[in-house]
Amino acid sequence: MKEDKKLLTDIEDALANCMKCGNCMEVCPIYKEIQTEAAVARGKLSLMEAVINGNAEISAGFDQRMAMCVSCKACAVKCPCGVKADELILRGRQAAVKARGLNPIKKQVFALLANRTLFDFALRMAGLFGPLQMKKLPGRMAVVARFPMPGLDRRRVLAPFAATPLRSQFPEHINAAKPRMKVAFFTGCTINYVYTDIGQAVINVLKANNVAITIPAKQHCCGTPVYMSGDVELAKVFAKHNVETFERVNADYIVAACGSCAEAFKIEYPELFHDEPDLQRQARNLAAKTYEISEFLVDVLRFRQDTLGPVPATVTMHDPCHMARGIEVTAQPRAIVAAIPGVKFVEMKEPARCCGAGGSFSLAHYDVSRKINDRKIADIASTAADTVVTSCGSCRMHIVDGLVQNGRNQECLHVVQLLDKAYEAGKCLQFKQP
Amino acid sequence: MESCLLNELRRIVGTAYVLTDKEDLLCYAYDATPGFSHMPDAVVSPANTNEVSQVLALANTEKIPVYPRGSGTNLSAGTVPTKGGIVLQMTRFDKILEIDEANLVATAEPGVIVAALNKAVEQFGLIYPPDPGTVATATLGGTVAENAGGLRGLKYGVSKHYVMGLEVVLADGSILQTSGKNVKDVAGYDLTKLFTGSEGTLGVITKIIVKLVPAPEAKKSMMAIFSNLDNAGNSIAAIIAGKIIPATLEILDNATIRTVEDYAKVGLPTEAEAVLLIEVDGIPEVVEKEAAKVVEVLKANHADQIQVAKDAAERDKIWAARRAALPALAKLRPTTFTEDATVPRSKVPEMIRAVNQAAAKHKVTIGTFGHAGDGNLHPTIVCDLRDKEEMERVYKAMDEIFTTAIRLGGTLSGEHGIGLGKLKYMEDQFGEVGMKTMRAIKKALDPNCILNPGKLVGEC
Ligand SMILES: Cc1cc2nc3c(=O)[nH]c(=O)nc-3n(C[C@H](O)[C@H](O)[C@H](O)COP(=O)(O)OP(=O)(O)OC[C@H]3O[C@@H](n4cnc5c(N)ncnc54)[C@H](O)[C@@H]3O)c2cc1C
Ligand code: SF4
Ligand code: SF4
Ligand code: SF4
C-alpha cells in the first residue's frame, strides 16, 4: 500500500468512531461561515474514510478541504464519542503532503524555516527593511503592506517585524539578586521577531519576582506551523533541536508566553518521539517542567501582589484555542487580571471561541478568517472594554487586524503586559509614598 | 447529471450554490444513521421559496430525485440520496421572520437551528418545547419534517403539537399554504399535520408557523434508583395515575447504568436494575406539591434511593447521568444505532426485558435508556459496521425489538421517523390498507416520486 494511504489506514479505527451525529456543527467556526458539510469535522473525517475505502483519491480537492480547519479543537471537546477530529485532520494533511508534496509557497517558506541561521537572518532583514514595505498605523503596533506581497492579502494589518529581535536585545542570562529559581524562556518566533514587547514584559515580570532567567540563544521555532501543515518530518527536526537545547540549559522550569508554544513542549514533543525512546524520555522531562507564563506565575511562582500599582482599564479576555482546549489554562490569566488594582474585568460572551487566526490558516484563507474574526470583534465590542488581553501573539495580531478593519480603537495586549504595567505603576507608588 | 441541467440549476440558485465536486458530494452521502451511504449528483442550496419552486419544477419534469436536507442529524437515513440526484440543502433559510408575542406564535424559515429559535423567544419568557438531543444543531425544518420530540415529550408532546401552519413547495413546484395563526381552525383536511412528519416525501417546507408556550417558572429534578425493574415500571404508572405529568421522566437500564458509571463516574450503583430521572415544572407552589407527591410514590414503590436536587448545581448533577448515556454507550464501539421503539408506558418494563433477551440471544451489546414516561425507549446497539457477521446478529436483534414493540401495541417510532431504517416493519404496523392509503397520498402529491423516493412508504 502506498505510504500516504497507510497514514490514513493507521487511523481507520479512530475515524470509524465518528457516529456522524453532527454535534461538531454547533461549534466549528469554519462551518458557521461556509455552511457546507466538507467544512465541518464530520465531512472531513468522511472524506478520509472515502480515501481508505477506495471511493476517493488524495486529490487537490481533498487537500483543499483538509486545509479548511483552524485546528481550534472545538469539535474534539464537543464530540460525544471522543473523536479527536482536529488531530485526525492534521493526519489527513500529512497524507496529502506525502501524496502530493507541499504546496510550493509553503515549501519555500519551510525550507527557510529549517535553517535556523538563515531563518534568523531573513526575519532580521524583515525587521530592518520592513519599514520600506510597510506603512505604520498610528498607535497600535501595527502596519499594512505598501506593496503587494506574495501570499499576503494587502488589506491585512500586521505587526511590524522588530528592528532588533528580542534575543539580540538581551543577554542569554539575566541574573537576579537572590534568585528563587532559574527559568528558561522559550520565546517562540512571534515574540522574538515581532512582538518583542511581550518578551520584554515576560522578562520584567520574572525579574519583579526575583527569578533568574535564561534565554537559550540557539532555540528554534517550536515547529507547530509546519506540523499543522502536515510536514511531520520537519516538525521533528525542530522539536529535536529544541529538546536538546533546553535539556542542556538545565533550568528549574521552562516558560513560554504562547499557548501553542507551551502545548508543543508539554504535549506534542513527547508524542512526536513515540518511536525514539531516548528523545521521548528527554521530551517528557522537559514537558513536566514547562508552563505557560500565566500558569507559571499563578500556580508555581505565586507572583507578588504587594508591589502592584493600579492600571485604570476596562479589560476583556480572549482565550486562545490552544490555551482553552489545548493546555486547558483559562483560570490563571483571569487570576492575574483580577489581582491588578484599578482593572475592571468584563467577560465577553464567548471568550474561548476561535479568533480565526489558526496559524497559517489566516494567510491562506484570509476572507474566511476575517469573517470568524468579525464575530470575535463584535463580541469584544459588546463588552465596552477598552483593552483586550490574550495569551498568544498570533491571536493578538489577528485581533488587532480585526479591530482596525472594523474601525474599533480597543488596545490588544498579552496578559503579561498588563501585569508588567501594574508592576511599573507599583514602582511609582513607592516613589510617591516615602 | 447532464451539464445543461446543472447549468439550469446554477442559473436558478447561483453558481456558488451548486456543488458537484466529488469531494463535496461524498460529504452529503450520509446522515447520522449508520449503514446507509450514497453519493448525490449535485448539492443545491436555494435561498428562497421561489428558487425551491424552480428547482422542483425542473426536477419534476426531468424526473430527478430530490432529497431535502437540514443538518443531516436524523436517525432514519432520511437524507441519504440513495438514488442519486439532488440534495436540496435548506440551511440558507435561516431567518426568524416574526415573534408574535401577542399571539404566542413565531414564524421562521426551515433552516433556523432549533436552539436559536429558543434563544430568540427566551427574552419574552416563552419556549418552543420540542427539544431533541440535537437542539443545538438540528434545523426547525428537519425537526418538523421528522416530527421530532425530545426530553420534554411527556408533558409537551412532539413537533406536531406546535406546528400551526406551513408554506410548502409541492413536487411540481407549486406553492401551498396550510393553516396559520388561528388557535381554532377546523377548516378542511389538516394539511399542516400531513406535512409535519412527512420526512421530505410530500413537499419541501419553506416557512413554519409555530406555537410558543410560557416558560415554566420553576423546575424540580429528582433521581430514584431501583434494584428491581418492575418497581421502576410501577412507579411510572403510579406517578401518572396520581395525575402528575412530569415534564421529563427518563429511565436508564442496567447496561446503561454500568456504562455511564464506567465512563462518567457520577455515582450510580452498578448493580441497580433501573434509574428514573424525573423533572416536574410549572408554577413554584405546584412544583413543590408535585415533587413531594412524586417522592411519596417512589417510596411506596420501593425505590432504594431517592435524591431531590436542592439547587441548580444539584439539578445539573442529576442530569449528568442522562446526558452521559448516549456518549458513554457510543464510546464502547465504533458504530451506534439509536433505535426508537415505543410502547404504551405500562409496557416499559416488559419492553426493556425483551430488549435484554434479544441482546443476550444474539450476543450483541444493547443499552436501553429513554423517555419512559411516554413509553419512548432508545435501545442503543453498539457494534462495528465493518464486522459482517456481527451485523447479521445486530439486524436480527433489531427485528426482534421492533416486532415486540408492535406486539405490545407500540409503534416503530416515537420521534425519529421511519425513513429507510424502519421501512421493512411498516406493513406490520399499518397493514395493507394503511400502507395503500399512505402510498395513495404520496402518489397524489408527488406522481413522479421525485421527493425522497423509496423512503417512508417505500417504492411506489
Ligand atoms: C445524538 C442524537 C440525538 C438525537 N436525539 C433526538 C431526540 O431526542 N429526539 C428526536 O426527535 N430526534 C433526535 N435525534 C434525531 C434528529 O436530530 C432529528 O430527527 C432532527 O429532527 C433532524 O433535524 P435535521 O435538521 O438534522 O434534519 P435532517 O436530518 O437534515 O432531515 C430530516 C428529515 O427531514 C427532511 N427535511 C429536512 N428539511 C426539510 C424541509 N425544509 N422540508 C421538507 N423536508 C425536510 C429530510 O428529507 C429528512 O427526511 C437525534 C439525533 C442524534 C444524532
Ligand atoms: S461530534 Fe464527533 S461523532 Fe459527532 S459527527 Fe462530529 S466528530 Fe463525528
Ligand atoms: S478543529 Fe476547529 S475548525 Fe477544525 S474542524 Fe474542529 S471545530 Fe472546525
Ligand atoms: S507557536 Fe507560533 S509563536 Fe510559538 S514558536 Fe511556534 S510559530 Fe512561533
Side-chain angles (χ1 to χ4, degrees), chain A residues 309-330:
Chain A
V311 179
T314 307
V315 175
T316 190
M317 185 179 296
H318 162 66
D319 295 303
C321 302
H322 292 253
M323 290 279 283
R325 291 174 288 276
I327 56 173
E328 299 184 25
V329 174
T330 53

Side-chain angles (χ1 to χ4, degrees), chain B residues 131 133 149-155 222-226 232-233 235-236 239-240 246-253 256-257 274-280 298 318-319 321-323 325-326 348 352 368-378 415:
Chain B
D131 62 340
L151 283 178
R152 304 191 274 224
L154 170 56
K155 180 167 172 177
M222 56 215 110
M223 170 160 83
I225 294 166
F226 293 88
S235 300
I236 298 168
I239 291 168
I240 311 286
T248 308
L249 205 178
E250 299 284 302
I251 193 163
L252 312 182
D253 79 343
T256 312
I257 294 169
V275 164
L276 291 185
L277 296 152
I278 305 152
E279 183 164 283
V280 288
L298 292 170
I318 283 183
W319 287 107
R322 172 62 178 88
R323 273 198 304 272
L326 184 60
V348 166
I352 290 182
T368 302
F369 60 91
H371 321 305
D374 44 38
N376 181 192
L377 296 175
H378 294 312
E415 54 181 18

Side-chain angles (χ1 to χ4, degrees), chain A residues 28-30 41 44 69-75 86 89:
Chain A
C28 178
I30 304 274
K44 283 175 274 223
C69 168
V70 281
S71 305
C72 70
K73 297 172 183 287
C75 51
D86 58 321
I89 292 165

Side-chain angles (χ1 to χ4, degrees), chain A residues 15 17-25 40-43 45 75-76 78-85:
Chain A
L15 289 171
N17 278 332
C18 168
M19 66 166 175
K20 309 277 181 292
C21 67
N23 277 11
C24 41
M25 294 170 129
V40 74
R42 177 169 77 164
L45 303 184
C75 51
K78 185 83 202 172
C79 179
C81 303
V83 175
K84 294 197 169 124

Side-chain angles (χ1 to χ4, degrees), chain A residues 19-23 25 42 80, chain B residues 31-33 66-80 88-90 110-114 131-135 137-151 158-159 168 195 198-201 203-206 208 322 326 338 340 371 376 378 414-417 419 452 455:
Chain A
M19 66 166 175
K20 309 277 181 292
C21 67
N23 277 11
M25 294 170 129
R42 177 169 77 164
Chain B
D31 52 33
T33 325
V66 176
Y67 312 84
R69 182 181 171 109
S71 295
T73 69
N74 75 88
L75 295 166
S76 53
T79 53
V80 180
L88 197 70
Q89 178 63 43
M90 297 298 288
V112 169
I113 304 297
V114 182
D131 62 340
T134 42
V135 264
T137 47
T139 63
L140 192 58
T143 51
V144 169
E146 212 58 89
N147 212 342
L151 283 178
V158 293
S159 297
V168 183
F195 285 99
S198 62
E199 301 185 18
T201 62
V204 177
I205 300 166
T206 46
I208 302 165
R322 172 62 178 88
L326 184 60
T338 312
D340 191 24
H371 321 305
N376 181 192
H378 294 312
E415 54 181 18
H416 293 170
N452 226 342
K455 317 268 177 79

Side-chain angles (χ1 to χ4, degrees), chain A residues 231-241 272-273 275-276:
Chain A
D231 194 344
V232 179
E233 291 316 310
L234 187 54
K236 273 174 128 171
V237 174
F238 289 18
K240 181 166 185 280
H241 176 95
L272 270 178
F273 298 118
D275 48 7
E276 292 169 64

Side-chain angles (χ1 to χ4, degrees), chain A residues 275-288:
Chain A
D275 48 7
E276 292 169 64
D278 278 352
L279 264 170
Q280 189 177 46
R281 191 181 33 75
Q282 286 177 33
R284 283 220 180 102
N285 283 342
L286 296 180

Side-chain angles (χ1 to χ4, degrees), chain B residues 100-437:
Chain B
D100 180 348
E101 212 191 335
N103 285 309
L104 299 187
V105 162
T107 307
E109 294 182 339
V112 169
I113 304 297
V114 182
L117 176 63
N118 259 311
K119 196 144 183 42
V121 303
E122 187 185 77
Q123 53 181 313
F124 303 103
L126 299 169
I127 57 169
Y128 174 66
D131 62 340
T134 42
V135 264
T137 47
T139 63
L140 192 58
T143 51
V144 169
E146 212 58 89
N147 212 342
L151 283 178
R152 304 191 274 224
L154 170 56
K155 180 167 172 177
Y156 294 96
V158 293
S159 297
K160 67 179 170 191
H161 300 115
Y162 297 89
V163 182
M164 301 183 75
L166 296 170
E167 180 186 83
V168 183
V169 181
L170 299 177
D172 63 359
S174 52
I175 301 165
L176 167 78
Q177 311 282 342
T178 78
S179 316
K181 291 185 181 177
N182 298 295
V183 173
K184 284 181 147 179
D185 183 351
V186 299
Y189 293 142
D190 194 343
L191 295 178
T192 309
K193 283 238 166 49
L194 177 64
F195 285 99
T196 306
S198 62
E199 301 185 18
T201 62
L202 298 182
V204 177
I205 300 166
T206 46
K207 201 188 284 176
I208 302 165
I209 304 175
V210 294
K211 179 164 80 178
L212 305 168
V213 302
E217 288 171 36
K219 294 174 181 175
K220 193 135 211 155
S221 301
M222 56 215 110
M223 170 160 83
I225 294 166
F226 293 88
S227 50
N228 179 314
L229 181 61
D230 286 311
N231 289 339
N234 294 338
S235 300
I236 298 168
I239 291 168
I240 311 286
K243 298 189 184 59
I244 295 167
I245 310 289
T248 308
L249 205 178
E250 299 284 302
I251 193 163
L252 312 182
D253 79 343
N254 174 266
T256 312
I257 294 169
R258 275 184 286 126
T259 318
V260 165
E261 194 43 37
D262 227 34
Y263 156 84
K265 305 266 179 292
V266 283
L268 301 176
T270 47
E271 69 284 0
E273 276 194 359
V275 164
L276 291 185
L277 296 152
I278 305 152
E279 183 164 283
V280 288
D281 71 2
I283 300 160
E285 302 81 56
V286 177
V287 167
E288 280 306 319
K289 223 172 109 187
E290 289 192 342
K293 196 144 177 210
V294 171
V295 171
E296 222 173 86
V297 172
L298 292 170
K299 278 186 184 149
N301 285 283
H302 315 291
D304 300 83
Q305 238 188 76
I306 302 167
Q307 280 173 38
V308 182
K310 285 184 205 68
D311 50 34
E314 280 188 29
R315 174 173 181 265
D316 222 49
K317 232 168 115 190
I318 283 183
W319 287 107
R322 172 62 178 88
R323 273 198 304 272
L326 184 60
L329 286 165
K331 270 188 187 163
L332 289 180
R333 302 288 308 278
T335 309
T336 309
F337 288 89
T338 312
E339 289 306 344
D340 191 24
T342 301
V343 292
R345 57 186 151 229
S346 61
K347 300 279 166 58
V348 166
E350 200 173 335
M351 188 66 210
I352 290 182
R353 256 192 286 275
V355 171
N356 289 342
Q357 271 161 20
K361 184 166 146 199
H362 300 286
K363 299 195 185 56
V364 294
T365 311
I366 311 183
T368 302
F369 60 91
H371 321 305
D374 44 38
N376 181 192
L377 296 175
H378 294 312
T380 299
I381 310 177
V382 294
C383 49
D384 190 340
L385 205 54
R386 296 167 297 179
D387 183 339
K388 281 220 174 68
E389 184 273 330
E390 181 181 20
M391 290 315 294
E392 261 169 45
R393 287 184 278 122
V394 166
Y395 288 119
K396 275 191 193 133
M398 263 184 213
D399 289 347
E400 219 156 283
I401 290 170
F402 285 110
T403 358
T404 311
I406 293 173
R407 183 175 51 78
L408 295 175
T411 171
L412 295 172
S413 176
E415 54 181 18
H416 293 170
I418 301 300
L420 280 178
K422 283 164 273 183
L423 185 58
K424 63 173 170 177
Y425 314 111
M426 279 291 274
E427 185 114 13
D428 292 347
Q429 180 172 342
F430 291 96
E432 212 187 306
V433 180
M435 289 314 289
K436 240 172 87 184
T437 309

